[in-house]
Amino acid sequence: MQLPTALTIAGSDCSGGAGIQADIKTFSAHGVFGMSAITAVVAENTCRVAAIEEISPDMIRRQIEAVLEDLPVGAIKLGMLPSAASMEAVSQALHGREGMPVVADPVMAATNGGDLMQTGALDTFLRRILPLCLLLTPNLPEAETILGKPIRTPEECQQAARAIQAMGVPWVLLKGGHLDGETADDLLFNGETFFSFPQKRIPTQNTHGTGCTLSAAIAANLALGKPIPQAVEEAKAYVTHAIAAGLELGHGHGPIHHFYAWFPSQEPGNICKEDHHHGI
C-alpha cells in the first residue's frame, strides 16, 4: 500500500502541541505518512519556552538528505529554522528539488512566549528559504517583521500580501487572526487573485500549535494532490475544528485537538474559562 507522504523540517516541542509533534499528528489525521528532520530541541510547555538547543547544520542537512535519497516525499513543511546556519543547511539539502511543493511557516515566536528565530536571521530566510517555497504562511506579526511596518486594516492586509508575494514566493497566505473583529480572515494571494477564508473566532486559550498545524495541514493536502486554494480551505477547516475541540491540558495555552474526529473530548464551543481569541 502506497500512502501519500510529507516531510516536516522543524523544531521539536517536548510538550507535544507544536513543532514536529503537531506536524506528524496533522499528517496522520490526513492519512499522510509523516517524516521529520529536527532543526532544534525546544524545552517548552503550555506556559513558557525554557530552553532551545539547535541541531547542528550538518545534522539538519544529513537528516533531510537521508529521507530524500530513499523515500518519496509528496510535500515539505518548513517550520522553526532558528538561525541563518540552519537555513543554509536546509537550502543546501533542498537544492535541485524545486518541483517539490514546500509550505513554509516563518516561525519567529511561540504562542507561550519566547523567540524561535535568532535576530538577524530574517535576511537569510528571505534570500535562501523563500525562493524554495511554493507557499508562505505568515501571521500578522510575522508579516509586519518581514515588511518592517504595521498591518492594522483589511486594506493593509492586501497590501502586505502583495508586497510579500512580490519578494519571490508564488503564493502567500496572510493569517488574520491577530486583527480585531468577529471573524479571523485569512487572505491567500498568488500575484493575481485574492482568496478570502473567513472564520468566526473561537473564544479559547487552547491555541498552542495552531500555526504549525495549519501549515502542516496545507502540506498534507498538497501531498494528497489538492490545488492550493482547496488545500488551504480544507486545512483552515481542520484547524478550526481542532481549536474548537481544544484540550484542557497544562496551565497555559493548551494544545488543539489534532484527532478530534476520532477521539472527541468535549463539545465544541464549551471549552474555555477565559475569552481569549485564537490567532493562527
Side-chain angles (χ1 to χ4, degrees):
M1 180 180 179
Q2 181 76 40
L3 280 178
T5 62
L7 168 65
T8 171
I9 303 171
S12 171
D13 170 12
C14 61
S15 69
I20 62 163
Q21 286 83 349
D23 296 343
I24 295 294
K25 291 172 185 176
T26 301
F27 294 162
S28 298
H30 285 77
V32 172
F33 181 81
M35 301 159 286
S36 66
I38 301 173
T39 60
V41 176
V42 184
E44 66 176 312
N45 53 36
T46 65
C47 298
R48 67 190 183 101
V49 173
I52 298 173
E53 185 168 315
E54 290 187 51
I55 303 299
S56 73
D58 183 62
M59 188 59 181
I60 294 172
R61 179 179 56 80
R62 286 174 178 266
Q63 289 178 85
I64 299 168
E65 290 174 349
V67 171
L68 293 177
E69 74 183 18
D70 181 50
L71 297 160
V73 176
I76 294 175
K77 177 261 171 81
L78 298 180
M80 179 185 177
L81 302 175
S83 66
S86 66
M87 296 170 189
E88 292 287 354
V90 171
S91 178
Q92 293 169 16
L94 296 183
H95 180 72
R97 304 273 180 169
E98 285 79 4
M100 192 174 295
V102 176
V103 179
D105 182 19
V107 178
M108 297 178 187
T111 301
N112 49 15
D115 293 333
L116 301 179
M117 181 186 291
Q118 292 179 2
T119 303
L122 179 59
D123 180 66
T124 303
F125 182 91
L126 297 177
R127 287 189 299 104
R128 300 290 284 163
I129 299 299
L130 198 64
L132 302 173
C133 300
L134 175 63
L135 171 66
L136 187 71
T137 66
N139 60 28
L140 290 187
E142 291 160 349
E144 288 175 337
T145 300
I146 290 170
L147 296 174
K149 61 182 181 180
I151 304 168
R152 298 290 183 265
T153 67
E155 293 74 19
E156 289 176 349
C157 286
Q158 288 198 0
Q159 294 169 7
R162 288 185 183 277
I164 294 174
Q165 195 274 340
M167 291 179 172
V169 61
W171 293 80
V172 173
L173 178 66
L174 185 62
K175 298 177 291 190
H178 289 81
L179 278 182
D180 294 331
E182 294 185 359
T183 60
D185 298 347
D186 294 351
L187 194 64
L188 179 68
F189 183 61
N190 64 358
E192 296 180 356
T193 305
F194 283 103
F195 304 82
S196 181
F197 302 94
Q199 183 64 50
K200 186 176 181 180
R201 291 181 183 275
I202 300 169
T204 179
Q205 65 180 359
N206 299 324
T207 58
H208 186 49
T210 50
C212 301
T213 298
L214 180 65
S215 55
I218 296 170
N221 285 328
L222 293 176
L224 290 165
K226 298 173 183 177
I228 289 180
Q230 182 183 355
V232 171
E233 182 177 22
E234 294 185 11
K236 175 81 171 178
Y238 168 76
V239 172
T240 299
H241 286 301
I243 294 171
L247 301 170
E248 294 287 355
L249 294 174
H251 297 89
H253 292 279
I256 66 177
H257 192 354
H258 295 90
F259 297 118
Y260 64 86
W262 294 269
F263 309 106
S265 62
Q266 52 200 350
E267 288 298 320
N270 300 311
I271 56 178
C272 66
K273 309 181 191 71
E274 301 179 54
D275 186 20
H276 293 273
H277 288 158
H278 83 271
I280 301 175

